[in-house]
Amino acid sequence: MIPVEYNTAVVLLGTAALGLAAGSTGSLALLRGRALLSDALAHATLPGICLAFLLTGSRSHPALLLGALATGALGVVLVAALSRRGRIKEDAAIGAVLACFFGAGIALSGAIQRRSPDAAQAGLDGFLLGQPAGMLLSEALTIAGVAVATLLLVALLAKEWKLVCFDPDFAAIEGWPVRLLDLLLMLLITTTVVLALPAVGVVLAAAILIIPATAARLWVDRLVPMLILASSFGVLASVTGTLLSARFPALPTGPLIVLAAGSLFLISLLVSPRRGIVARATAERRRRRERERRRLLGTIFTEQEAAPESPVSEGALARRRVWGPGRLRAHLEDARRRGWIRWGPRGIELTDAGRQRAARIVRASRIWEQYLLSQAQIDRDLIDLDAEEIGHLLPPHLVAELERSLADRGLLPLGSEGSPA
Amino acid sequence: MSLLDATSLPVLIVAALAASCCALIGSFLVLRRSALLGDAISHGILPGIVVGFALSGSREIVPMFLGALVAALGTTLLTDLLHRRLRIDGDAAMGVVFTTLFALGVVLLEVYAGRVDLDPGCVLHGQVEYAAIDPASFAILGWTPPRGAVTLGVTLLLDLVFVLLLWKELLITSFDGDLAHSLGIPPGPLHLALMGMTALTTVASFEAVGSILVVAMLIVPAMVATLLTDRLLGVLLAAQGVALASAGLGLWSAQRLDTSVAGMMAVSVGGLLAVAFLLAPGQGWLPRRLRRLSLAIRIAEEDLLGSLYRAEERQAGGGGIERPSGAPPHHPAWLRIGAGLRLRWRAEVVKSDRTLTLTQRGRGRGRRLVRRHRLWENYLSDLLALPASHLHDPAHRIEHFLDEELTRRIEERLDGPERDPHGRAIPAADHEPGEEER
Amino acid sequence: MSGAPPPAIEVHDLTVSYHAKPVLWDIDVEIPAGQLVGVVGPNGAGKSTLLRAILGLVRPASGWVRIDGEPRRRGRHGCGYVPQRESVDWDFPVDVLDVVLMGTYGNLGWFRRPGRRERERAMHALEQVGMQDLARRQIAELSGGQQQRVFLARALAQDAPVYLMDEPFSGVDAATEAAIFEVLRTLRAAGRTVVVVHHDLQTVEEYFDHVLLLNLRLVAAGPIRDTFTRENLLATYGGRLTLLDEAAEAVRRGSVDTTAWRPPPDGAS
């Protein structure tokens, strides 16, 4: 256990609660296509913070965050208004609102700074990149309270939001108030972003929503696990970033939290068992090797089928020009080790096990060929020319029919009948 | 304080050059609907800039540019890889990549804080004033230009050369990616080249306007321009105008309010966008509102003329049976009154003894409207086989939009019918004798 | 109260415009209850638009729609819907059973989660389309035909009196096509009304009892035998009515809400 000072503990409570809320809110934002809108929203809060400071002269969070909420919401409304009528695309509207509102914030904070340098230094600059170090216990508890409320709301409306995110038309037909649910979701996103401002800052607030959710999606394929995992990632990133910044006080907390989240994403991208790069590459390599093995067995089988009396020589296989001499040797050696072939006195022979497997392979590929030739309407997604077993891909009566037409022409490989379907 | 005095002029020049080259490249980003890629690149290049800067230890643009170029291509390719190959939602992929890289850049900035004379504030919101003061390392005819102006001038030149050389290709790929593909113009390399130019422009400008406000200068001038014109050259020129105007406005207002020039430039260009959105002649909110109002008035006028014409027909006894059902044309009272006043003012109706009567001109308009109405009823009846009771409402909606030419062709198509499906006479196209009498 | 049952769907003088340009003109038709109804017409004839207007997904420029003699309602009294496969993101984090369960949400109401009864209903729907073994399969791993069956199962779980299906037979394999048709017949036997947008003229007579021939306007509607005739097909597919097209264009030009619209440069969206 790392000894943690009281101040750091308070900050940890606040940022962890923030990560918790941001994970689930971010997942919904992502699935409803609001990821980049939340970035515009975050940038659009800056002028609100400055205006609230100018109006109230106070640096207390509630006042500043109310201002943030106001201009953030205004920014979202403007994105919608600008892109409502075609000529301006939504992404351009997002970029414009993001940059222009941010510019207004910079101009306002510049004006404040030149008039009362110290006040601004202390209060407003922290909102750019986040400055949770001075967080009070009451503020951390507020964040925790809002985070709990967020989770409750998500739990309550998970079903409704799932429906609206997946198929809004269907939701509308079923009588769900899609606009109201969208508005609620947007309110939730706005609250979370505003809550993230003191800790992560205006520039990176949206990242704490987007990154954990995107990382979680790489691991799981259902909504509720995604919400839980994204929230966990959010907490993990927040805690890591906060602890790092406690250890290296010169480094800004917000970017550290985002970097921690980014690292989590990168790790997920590499090692996630289903969508990860490593898993994909391994599976692809295994598939390719398996394909080569099947091709070799199939080739030997058809060579023998064509001329049962004469042996299959390595030279005959080489003349097929499928493999280079080195590769061919390696493949043959691999097949021998697996007990599929042996070197007989007159050349390569299939063992019993090898012959059975080879017959299955050839049968499957001929059935596919027959299927493609004979069926007018095919389900292309089902076709897997590498599949050795067809029973789970095509209905059994169809397989039987295709087999019959192969047998009629003497093309059904001998020894393949007993294969498990 | 004037914009053209000795202290302001260099700032104005630097601001205008930054705005100009951003708007030039940004126009293509907007037209290709990759506006947010500009956003992503301007954030994503930060670590490249910091590393380039730290390694060379100077504000020379070349090392920073090389670092930025690597980071920009990294941003583009990484986003693409995540989206295309690993099937991650496009927006999410972009969001993850550029925010993470930006965070990395900020952290690196602090790590190299001793060696790097860049502070996060400057990166975020730029300092035109500084870029305009810092002198270049050479002099032209005894005058030392500001370094920022030299860098941005060269960048603008390179951007111009890029656009002129690849004009045709940019034109085609901007408007029709598929067509470009079929013509053998590879979208990939061109896209990467554009990303490279975006990176160069962003690096050159970020010192002046900062890495986030550069997004405003990249995409907003082109957005304003697309509200004003449809043609590529028009968009480019209008974007330049908007960019220069926002540089001038930004500097002027920043001096007035004593605040950041870059911030006020972003506010100015946003303000211009708002003005264009509200007032642009073709697309603006107000012109559309006015056009909608004038359409509503015209429809109300025509409905009034039509009902007066039908009433005259009934009095003359030639109108046949009046339609059995259907609500009378409904318009809000103010619109009806307004339409009546306008018709009287244009002498198409006259009011006497509290009743309205058509003048000759008004009768002509009413007759043409009724003619269109009845011909369309015939068309619906003949070709859409609608029953007689369903004809009036559709015809009532469309009668305001058919022009004389189309009406004539409908008449031809129907072989010049004399009566509508309800048995009422269809008025002729030209003047009737009754109208000439008055 | 007399003889003939009320129509399942009553469409009255329906005109639908996109960007002020009419794409469906004055559709006035009654769809009888308990029948399989095909909606047939060339590409761009407004078949999907008609479906979407009946469902209330697009607001008509004029006219109204009634289902079972009443304005549309949700759940048990509403419409079952099978959208085009491309209309959703198949990478969404749900599995097959999740999607089918969405069909029960309408009757479930706010906040309540699907329980055992709903799960049983969903599984029953999956059995009807022959997908019960794939209930826990992630939807991204489904083939095109299987995706179509999932949507059909979701509609079955809605348990509605009226079903509207947008090209359920498009791009599916023969086995799926047969399975879908079987489900349609079961629905008809249970007294449901099924309206199907269909593009394959060869199978219209085999599949449907009643047909709507559509090309911007209603060309003909009625029982297959009287309606699915050579003349009507010629009228439906024999080119559009140029004057109707031009009138639509005139309305578009004359209106205000349209000038902003032009097709996106790369044809997307």
mmCIF file of all heavy atoms in Angstrom, chain A residues 302-341:
data_model
loop_
_atom_site.group_PDB
_atom_site.id
_atom_site.type_symbol
_atom_site.label_atom_id
_atom_site.label_comp_id
_atom_site.label_asym_id
_atom_site.label_seq_id
_atom_site.Cartn_x
_atom_site.Cartn_y
_atom_site.Cartn_z
ATOM 1 N N THR A 302 -5.461 -35.719 -54.495
ATOM 2 C CA THR A 302 -5.940 -35.680 -55.883
ATOM 3 C C THR A 302 -4.900 -36.273 -56.828
ATOM 4 O O THR A 302 -5.265 -36.896 -57.827
ATOM 5 C CB THR A 302 -6.277 -34.256 -56.335
ATOM 6 O OG1 THR A 302 -5.262 -33.380 -55.872
ATOM 7 C CG2 THR A 302 -7.605 -33.805 -55.776
ATOM 8 N N GLU A 303 -3.618 -36.090 -56.520
ATOM 9 C CA GLU A 303 -2.577 -36.717 -57.343
ATOM 10 C C GLU A 303 -2.766 -38.233 -57.349
ATOM 11 O O GLU A 303 -2.715 -38.875 -58.397
ATOM 12 C CB GLU A 303 -1.182 -36.382 -56.804
ATOM 13 C CG GLU A 303 -0.742 -34.950 -57.043
ATOM 14 C CD GLU A 303 -0.093 -34.761 -58.405
ATOM 15 O OE1 GLU A 303 0.583 -35.701 -58.849
ATOM 16 O OE2 GLU A 303 -0.291 -33.698 -59.013
ATOM 17 N N GLN A 304 -3.003 -38.766 -56.147
ATOM 18 C CA GLN A 304 -3.165 -40.216 -56.042
ATOM 19 C C GLN A 304 -4.441 -40.673 -56.714
ATOM 20 O O GLN A 304 -4.489 -41.723 -57.328
ATOM 21 C CB GLN A 304 -3.164 -40.628 -54.579
ATOM 22 C CG GLN A 304 -1.784 -41.041 -54.131
ATOM 23 C CD GLN A 304 -1.816 -41.705 -52.775
ATOM 24 O OE1 GLN A 304 -2.829 -41.697 -52.072
ATOM 25 N NE2 GLN A 304 -0.681 -42.281 -52.392
ATOM 26 N N GLU A 305 -5.489 -39.849 -56.568
ATOM 27 C CA GLU A 305 -6.772 -40.180 -57.180
ATOM 28 C C GLU A 305 -6.627 -40.297 -58.687
ATOM 29 O O GLU A 305 -7.174 -41.195 -59.319
ATOM 30 C CB GLU A 305 -7.768 -39.073 -56.833
ATOM 31 C CG GLU A 305 -9.201 -39.500 -56.808
ATOM 32 C CD GLU A 305 -10.099 -38.319 -56.461
ATOM 33 O OE1 GLU A 305 -9.735 -37.161 -56.821
ATOM 34 O OE2 GLU A 305 -11.142 -38.532 -55.858
ATOM 35 N N ALA A 306 -5.836 -39.360 -59.255
ATOM 36 C CA ALA A 306 -5.669 -39.328 -60.701
ATOM 37 C C ALA A 306 -4.890 -40.556 -61.180
ATOM 38 O O ALA A 306 -5.206 -41.115 -62.225
ATOM 39 C CB ALA A 306 -4.948 -38.047 -61.117
ATOM 40 N N ALA A 307 -3.873 -40.941 -60.433
ATOM 41 C CA ALA A 307 -3.066 -42.082 -60.860
ATOM 42 C C ALA A 307 -2.788 -42.959 -59.654
ATOM 43 O O ALA A 307 -1.739 -42.837 -58.999
ATOM 44 C CB ALA A 307 -1.753 -41.592 -61.487
ATOM 45 N N PRO A 308 -3.733 -43.871 -59.313
ATOM 46 C CA PRO A 308 -3.630 -44.642 -58.069
ATOM 47 C C PRO A 308 -2.365 -45.515 -58.036
ATOM 48 O O PRO A 308 -1.831 -45.792 -56.967
ATOM 49 C CB PRO A 308 -4.884 -45.510 -58.084
ATOM 50 C CG PRO A 308 -5.791 -44.896 -59.098
ATOM 51 C CD PRO A 308 -4.939 -44.191 -60.082
ATOM 52 N N GLU A 309 -1.908 -45.934 -59.220
ATOM 53 C CA GLU A 309 -0.804 -46.880 -59.228
ATOM 54 C C GLU A 309 0.536 -46.199 -59.006
ATOM 55 O O GLU A 309 1.411 -46.689 -58.315
ATOM 56 C CB GLU A 309 -0.771 -47.648 -60.564
ATOM 57 C CG GLU A 309 -2.024 -48.478 -60.805
ATOM 58 C CD GLU A 309 -2.384 -49.355 -59.598
ATOM 59 O OE1 GLU A 309 -1.456 -49.978 -59.017
ATOM 60 O OE2 GLU A 309 -3.573 -49.384 -59.195
ATOM 61 N N SER A 310 0.706 -45.026 -59.604
ATOM 62 C CA SER A 310 2.025 -44.399 -59.522
ATOM 63 C C SER A 310 2.140 -43.616 -58.223
ATOM 64 O O SER A 310 1.171 -43.027 -57.749
ATOM 65 C CB SER A 310 2.245 -43.469 -60.719
ATOM 66 O OG SER A 310 1.224 -42.498 -60.745
ATOM 67 N N PRO A 311 3.306 -43.606 -57.631
ATOM 68 C CA PRO A 311 3.498 -42.914 -56.363
ATOM 69 C C PRO A 311 3.560 -41.403 -56.554
ATOM 70 O O PRO A 311 3.752 -40.917 -57.670
ATOM 71 C CB PRO A 311 4.850 -43.449 -55.893
ATOM 72 C CG PRO A 311 5.569 -43.721 -57.170
ATOM 73 C CD PRO A 311 4.537 -44.181 -58.163
ATOM 74 N N VAL A 312 3.365 -40.675 -55.468
ATOM 75 C CA VAL A 312 3.459 -39.216 -55.513
ATOM 76 C C VAL A 312 4.872 -38.821 -55.085
ATOM 77 O O VAL A 312 5.301 -39.125 -53.980
ATOM 78 C CB VAL A 312 2.434 -38.572 -54.561
ATOM 79 C CG1 VAL A 312 2.536 -37.063 -54.626
ATOM 80 C CG2 VAL A 312 1.040 -39.040 -54.908
ATOM 81 N N SER A 313 5.575 -38.209 -56.012
ATOM 82 C CA SER A 313 6.948 -37.814 -55.678
ATOM 83 C C SER A 313 6.976 -36.342 -55.264
ATOM 84 O O SER A 313 6.060 -35.572 -55.579
ATOM 85 C CB SER A 313 7.853 -38.016 -56.883
ATOM 86 O OG SER A 313 7.482 -37.097 -57.893
ATOM 87 N N GLU A 314 8.016 -36.000 -54.559
ATOM 88 C CA GLU A 314 8.171 -34.612 -54.161
ATOM 89 C C GLU A 314 8.274 -33.719 -55.392
ATOM 90 O O GLU A 314 7.762 -32.595 -55.424
ATOM 91 C CB GLU A 314 9.434 -34.466 -53.299
ATOM 92 C CG GLU A 314 9.418 -33.216 -52.449
ATOM 93 C CD GLU A 314 10.665 -33.119 -51.590
ATOM 94 O OE1 GLU A 314 11.188 -34.169 -51.155
ATOM 95 O OE2 GLU A 314 11.110 -31.992 -51.363
ATOM 96 N N GLY A 315 8.886 -34.261 -56.432
ATOM 97 C CA GLY A 315 9.036 -33.504 -57.679
ATOM 98 C C GLY A 315 7.677 -33.178 -58.290
ATOM 99 O O GLY A 315 7.453 -32.067 -58.772
ATOM 100 N N ALA A 316 6.761 -34.158 -58.235
ATOM 101 C CA ALA A 316 5.437 -33.917 -58.819
ATOM 102 C C ALA A 316 4.737 -32.783 -58.090
ATOM 103 O O ALA A 316 4.085 -31.929 -58.704
ATOM 104 C CB ALA A 316 4.598 -35.190 -58.756
ATOM 105 N N LEU A 317 4.887 -32.773 -56.755
ATOM 106 C CA LEU A 317 4.270 -31.693 -55.980
ATOM 107 C C LEU A 317 4.933 -30.360 -56.302
ATOM 108 O O LEU A 317 4.267 -29.328 -56.421
ATOM 109 C CB LEU A 317 4.385 -31.986 -54.479
ATOM 110 C CG LEU A 317 3.549 -33.163 -53.978
ATOM 111 C CD1 LEU A 317 3.805 -33.375 -52.492
ATOM 112 C CD2 LEU A 317 2.077 -32.929 -54.240
ATOM 113 N N ALA A 318 6.254 -30.392 -56.444
ATOM 114 C CA ALA A 318 6.977 -29.161 -56.741
ATOM 115 C C ALA A 318 6.544 -28.602 -58.079
ATOM 116 O O ALA A 318 6.474 -27.386 -58.270
ATOM 117 C CB ALA A 318 8.478 -29.416 -56.735
ATOM 118 N N ARG A 319 6.246 -29.509 -59.048
ATOM 119 C CA ARG A 319 5.847 -29.020 -60.380
ATOM 120 C C ARG A 319 4.522 -28.259 -60.334
ATOM 121 O O ARG A 319 4.192 -27.524 -61.228
ATOM 122 C CB ARG A 319 5.748 -30.212 -61.333
ATOM 123 C CG ARG A 319 7.080 -30.544 -61.986
ATOM 124 C CD ARG A 319 6.879 -31.432 -63.198
ATOM 125 N NE ARG A 319 6.340 -32.749 -62.852
ATOM 126 C CZ ARG A 319 7.086 -33.736 -62.320
ATOM 127 N NH1 ARG A 319 8.351 -33.555 -62.064
ATOM 128 N NH2 ARG A 319 6.547 -34.909 -62.056
ATOM 129 N N ARG A 320 3.761 -28.468 -59.269
ATOM 130 C CA ARG A 320 2.503 -27.708 -59.151
ATOM 131 C C ARG A 320 2.754 -26.216 -58.897
ATOM 132 O O ARG A 320 1.827 -25.409 -58.995
ATOM 133 C CB ARG A 320 1.685 -28.260 -57.979
ATOM 134 C CG ARG A 320 1.157 -29.630 -58.261
ATOM 135 C CD ARG A 320 -0.310 -29.578 -58.150
ATOM 136 N NE ARG A 320 -0.925 -30.774 -58.652
ATOM 137 C CZ ARG A 320 -2.227 -31.015 -58.556
ATOM 138 N NH1 ARG A 320 -2.983 -30.119 -57.961
ATOM 139 N NH2 ARG A 320 -2.754 -32.077 -59.052
ATOM 140 N N ARG A 321 3.978 -25.935 -58.519
ATOM 141 C CA ARG A 321 4.381 -24.534 -58.323
ATOM 142 C C ARG A 321 3.525 -23.793 -57.306
ATOM 143 O O ARG A 321 3.285 -22.595 -57.413
ATOM 144 C CB ARG A 321 4.337 -23.776 -59.656
ATOM 145 C CG ARG A 321 5.373 -24.250 -60.630
ATOM 146 C CD ARG A 321 5.383 -23.396 -61.874
ATOM 147 N NE ARG A 321 6.295 -23.965 -62.856
ATOM 148 C CZ ARG A 321 7.610 -23.793 -62.824
ATOM 149 N NH1 ARG A 321 8.156 -23.082 -61.861
ATOM 150 N NH2 ARG A 321 8.383 -24.335 -63.742
ATOM 151 N N VAL A 322 2.990 -24.524 -56.332
ATOM 152 C CA VAL A 322 2.240 -23.853 -55.272
ATOM 153 C C VAL A 322 3.203 -23.373 -54.206
ATOM 154 O O VAL A 322 3.087 -22.284 -53.673
ATOM 155 C CB VAL A 322 1.201 -24.810 -54.655
ATOM 156 C CG1 VAL A 322 0.477 -24.130 -53.500
ATOM 157 C CG2 VAL A 322 0.222 -25.247 -55.723
ATOM 158 N N TRP A 323 4.196 -24.209 -53.920
ATOM 159 C CA TRP A 323 5.154 -23.872 -52.883
ATOM 160 C C TRP A 323 6.560 -23.843 -53.478
ATOM 161 O O TRP A 323 6.865 -24.607 -54.401
ATOM 162 C CB TRP A 323 5.124 -24.930 -51.781
ATOM 163 C CG TRP A 323 3.753 -25.161 -51.216
ATOM 164 C CD1 TRP A 323 3.144 -24.416 -50.272
ATOM 165 C CD2 TRP A 323 2.848 -26.198 -51.566
ATOM 166 N NE1 TRP A 323 1.902 -24.910 -49.997
ATOM 167 C CE2 TRP A 323 1.683 -26.013 -50.778
ATOM 168 C CE3 TRP A 323 2.862 -27.271 -52.467
ATOM 169 C CZ2 TRP A 323 0.563 -26.840 -50.853
ATOM 170 C CZ3 TRP A 323 1.753 -28.094 -52.529
ATOM 171 C CH2 TRP A 323 0.617 -27.881 -51.739
ATOM 172 N N GLY A 324 7.398 -23.006 -52.927
ATOM 173 C CA GLY A 324 8.818 -23.063 -53.286
ATOM 174 C C GLY A 324 9.394 -24.343 -52.702
ATOM 175 O O GLY A 324 8.799 -24.942 -51.816
ATOM 176 N N PRO A 325 10.555 -24.783 -53.193
ATOM 177 C CA PRO A 325 11.125 -26.053 -52.746
ATOM 178 C C PRO A 325 11.352 -26.074 -51.224
ATOM 179 O O PRO A 325 11.059 -27.082 -50.575
ATOM 180 C CB PRO A 325 12.445 -26.158 -53.502
ATOM 181 C CG PRO A 325 12.600 -24.897 -54.281
ATOM 182 C CD PRO A 325 11.338 -24.126 -54.222
ATOM 183 N N GLY A 326 11.817 -24.980 -50.667
ATOM 184 C CA GLY A 326 12.087 -24.939 -49.231
ATOM 185 C C GLY A 326 10.807 -25.085 -48.431
ATOM 186 O O GLY A 326 10.710 -25.895 -47.503
ATOM 187 N N ARG A 327 9.776 -24.314 -48.813
ATOM 188 C CA ARG A 327 8.503 -24.355 -48.111
ATOM 189 C C ARG A 327 7.883 -25.743 -48.215
ATOM 190 O O ARG A 327 7.364 -26.286 -47.242
ATOM 191 C CB ARG A 327 7.523 -23.328 -48.695
ATOM 192 C CG ARG A 327 7.977 -21.890 -48.625
ATOM 193 C CD ARG A 327 8.190 -21.474 -47.172
ATOM 194 N NE ARG A 327 6.989 -21.665 -46.346
ATOM 195 C CZ ARG A 327 6.013 -20.783 -46.282
ATOM 196 N NH1 ARG A 327 6.085 -19.677 -46.969
ATOM 197 N NH2 ARG A 327 4.963 -21.007 -45.534
ATOM 198 N N LEU A 328 7.961 -26.315 -49.400
ATOM 199 C CA LEU A 328 7.354 -27.623 -49.637
ATOM 200 C C LEU A 328 7.957 -28.650 -48.679
ATOM 201 O O LEU A 328 7.246 -29.398 -48.026
ATOM 202 C CB LEU A 328 7.574 -28.035 -51.093
ATOM 203 C CG LEU A 328 7.054 -29.422 -51.465
ATOM 204 C CD1 LEU A 328 5.562 -29.511 -51.239
ATOM 205 C CD2 LEU A 328 7.381 -29.744 -52.919
ATOM 206 N N ARG A 329 9.284 -28.602 -48.599
ATOM 207 C CA ARG A 329 10.000 -29.520 -47.709
ATOM 208 C C ARG A 329 9.483 -29.339 -46.273
ATOM 209 O O ARG A 329 9.151 -30.325 -45.595
ATOM 210 C CB ARG A 329 11.489 -29.165 -47.802
ATOM 211 C CG ARG A 329 12.437 -30.136 -47.176
ATOM 212 C CD ARG A 329 13.067 -31.072 -48.052
ATOM 213 N NE ARG A 329 12.541 -32.251 -48.593
ATOM 214 C CZ ARG A 329 13.019 -33.457 -48.263
ATOM 215 N NH1 ARG A 329 13.896 -33.581 -47.311
ATOM 216 N NH2 ARG A 329 12.602 -34.509 -48.902
ATOM 217 N N ALA A 330 9.392 -28.114 -45.839
ATOM 218 C CA ALA A 330 8.953 -27.835 -44.467
ATOM 219 C C ALA A 330 7.536 -28.345 -44.241
ATOM 220 O O ALA A 330 7.237 -28.970 -43.225
ATOM 221 C CB ALA A 330 9.029 -26.333 -44.185
ATOM 222 N N HIS A 331 6.656 -28.084 -45.192
ATOM 223 C CA HIS A 331 5.270 -28.541 -45.063
ATOM 224 C C HIS A 331 5.206 -30.062 -45.006
ATOM 225 O O HIS A 331 4.456 -30.633 -44.217
ATOM 226 C CB HIS A 331 4.430 -28.038 -46.244
ATOM 227 C CG HIS A 331 4.092 -26.583 -46.154
ATOM 228 N ND1 HIS A 331 3.575 -26.013 -45.027
ATOM 229 C CD2 HIS A 331 4.194 -25.591 -47.068
ATOM 230 C CE1 HIS A 331 3.373 -24.723 -45.236
ATOM 231 N NE2 HIS A 331 3.760 -24.437 -46.478
ATOM 232 N N LEU A 332 6.000 -30.722 -45.865
ATOM 233 C CA LEU A 332 5.996 -32.188 -45.886
ATOM 234 C C LEU A 332 6.490 -32.729 -44.549
ATOM 235 O O LEU A 332 5.888 -33.657 -43.984
ATOM 236 C CB LEU A 332 6.899 -32.694 -47.026
ATOM 237 C CG LEU A 332 6.302 -32.583 -48.430
ATOM 238 C CD1 LEU A 332 7.334 -32.900 -49.479
ATOM 239 C CD2 LEU A 332 5.083 -33.484 -48.573
ATOM 240 N N GLU A 333 7.551 -32.109 -44.058
ATOM 241 C CA GLU A 333 8.120 -32.564 -42.784
ATOM 242 C C GLU A 333 7.077 -32.399 -41.670
ATOM 243 O O GLU A 333 6.883 -33.302 -40.847
ATOM 244 C CB GLU A 333 9.384 -31.730 -42.487
ATOM 245 C CG GLU A 333 10.144 -32.130 -41.241
ATOM 246 C CD GLU A 333 10.474 -33.619 -41.215
ATOM 247 O OE1 GLU A 333 10.707 -34.224 -42.310
ATOM 248 O OE2 GLU A 333 10.467 -34.186 -40.111
ATOM 249 N N ASP A 334 6.360 -31.274 -41.702
ATOM 250 C CA ASP A 334 5.330 -31.005 -40.710
ATOM 251 C C ASP A 334 4.237 -32.080 -40.794
ATOM 252 O O ASP A 334 3.788 -32.603 -39.773
ATOM 253 C CB ASP A 334 4.758 -29.607 -40.970
ATOM 254 C CG ASP A 334 3.538 -29.313 -40.125
ATOM 255 O OD1 ASP A 334 3.704 -29.151 -38.910
ATOM 256 O OD2 ASP A 334 2.418 -29.250 -40.693
ATOM 257 N N ALA A 335 3.830 -32.422 -42.016
ATOM 258 C CA ALA A 335 2.772 -33.417 -42.202
ATOM 259 C C ALA A 335 3.245 -34.789 -41.722
ATOM 260 O O ALA A 335 2.473 -35.550 -41.126
ATOM 261 C CB ALA A 335 2.361 -33.470 -43.674
ATOM 262 N N ARG A 336 4.508 -35.068 -41.935
ATOM 263 C CA ARG A 336 5.032 -36.357 -41.499
ATOM 264 C C ARG A 336 5.011 -36.439 -39.969
ATOM 265 O O ARG A 336 4.595 -37.430 -39.387
ATOM 266 C CB ARG A 336 6.462 -36.555 -42.023
ATOM 267 C CG ARG A 336 6.999 -37.973 -41.821
ATOM 268 C CD ARG A 336 8.485 -38.048 -42.047
ATOM 269 N NE ARG A 336 9.254 -37.206 -41.144
ATOM 270 C CZ ARG A 336 9.462 -37.476 -39.848
ATOM 271 N NH1 ARG A 336 8.960 -38.574 -39.304
ATOM 272 N NH2 ARG A 336 10.152 -36.645 -39.088
ATOM 273 N N ARG A 337 5.432 -35.303 -39.337
ATOM 274 C CA ARG A 337 5.456 -35.290 -37.884
ATOM 275 C C ARG A 337 4.061 -35.500 -37.312
ATOM 276 O O ARG A 337 3.882 -36.086 -36.266
ATOM 277 C CB ARG A 337 6.002 -33.961 -37.381
ATOM 278 C CG ARG A 337 7.446 -34.010 -36.933
ATOM 279 C CD ARG A 337 7.741 -32.905 -35.913
ATOM 280 N NE ARG A 337 6.995 -31.691 -36.139
ATOM 281 C CZ ARG A 337 7.375 -30.725 -36.991
ATOM 282 N NH1 ARG A 337 8.497 -30.861 -37.665
ATOM 283 N NH2 ARG A 337 6.639 -29.653 -37.148
ATOM 284 N N ARG A 338 3.074 -34.970 -38.013
ATOM 285 C CA ARG A 338 1.701 -35.120 -37.539
ATOM 286 C C ARG A 338 1.110 -36.489 -37.876
ATOM 287 O O ARG A 338 -0.053 -36.741 -37.589
ATOM 288 C CB ARG A 338 0.818 -34.037 -38.152
ATOM 289 C CG ARG A 338 1.085 -32.690 -37.531
ATOM 290 C CD ARG A 338 0.522 -31.570 -38.362
ATOM 291 N NE ARG A 338 1.009 -30.321 -37.794
ATOM 292 C CZ ARG A 338 0.387 -29.683 -36.796
ATOM 293 N NH1 ARG A 338 -0.727 -30.134 -36.315
ATOM 294 N NH2 ARG A 338 0.905 -28.578 -36.304
ATOM 295 N N GLY A 339 1.905 -37.326 -38.551
ATOM 296 C CA GLY A 339 1.442 -38.676 -38.832
ATOM 297 C C GLY A 339 0.443 -38.760 -39.968
ATOM 298 O O GLY A 339 -0.392 -39.651 -40.002
ATOM 299 N N TRP A 340 0.486 -37.786 -40.877
ATOM 300 C CA TRP A 340 -0.454 -37.817 -42.004
ATOM 301 C C TRP A 340 0.164 -38.473 -43.238
ATOM 302 O O TRP A 340 -0.534 -39.040 -44.052
ATOM 303 C CB TRP A 340 -0.918 -36.391 -42.348
ATOM 304 C CG TRP A 340 -1.795 -35.811 -41.297
ATOM 305 C CD1 TRP A 340 -2.549 -36.503 -40.398
ATOM 306 C CD2 TRP A 340 -1.996 -34.432 -41.026
ATOM 307 N NE1 TRP A 340 -3.212 -35.642 -39.575
ATOM 308 C CE2 TRP A 340 -2.903 -34.357 -39.937
ATOM 309 C CE3 TRP A 340 -1.520 -33.259 -41.581
ATOM 310 C CZ2 TRP A 340 -3.333 -33.152 -39.411
ATOM 311 C CZ3 TRP A 340 -1.943 -32.068 -41.071
ATOM 312 C CH2 TRP A 340 -2.830 -32.010 -39.994
ATOM 313 N N ILE A 341 1.501 -38.331 -43.378
ATOM 314 C CA ILE A 341 2.167 -38.957 -44.530
ATOM 315 C C ILE A 341 3.381 -39.722 -44.028
ATOM 316 O O ILE A 341 3.836 -39.518 -42.897
ATOM 317 C CB ILE A 341 2.619 -37.912 -45.579
ATOM 318 C CG1 ILE A 341 3.632 -36.945 -44.949
ATOM 319 C CG2 ILE A 341 1.452 -37.164 -46.163
ATOM 320 C CD1 ILE A 341 4.344 -36.094 -45.972
#
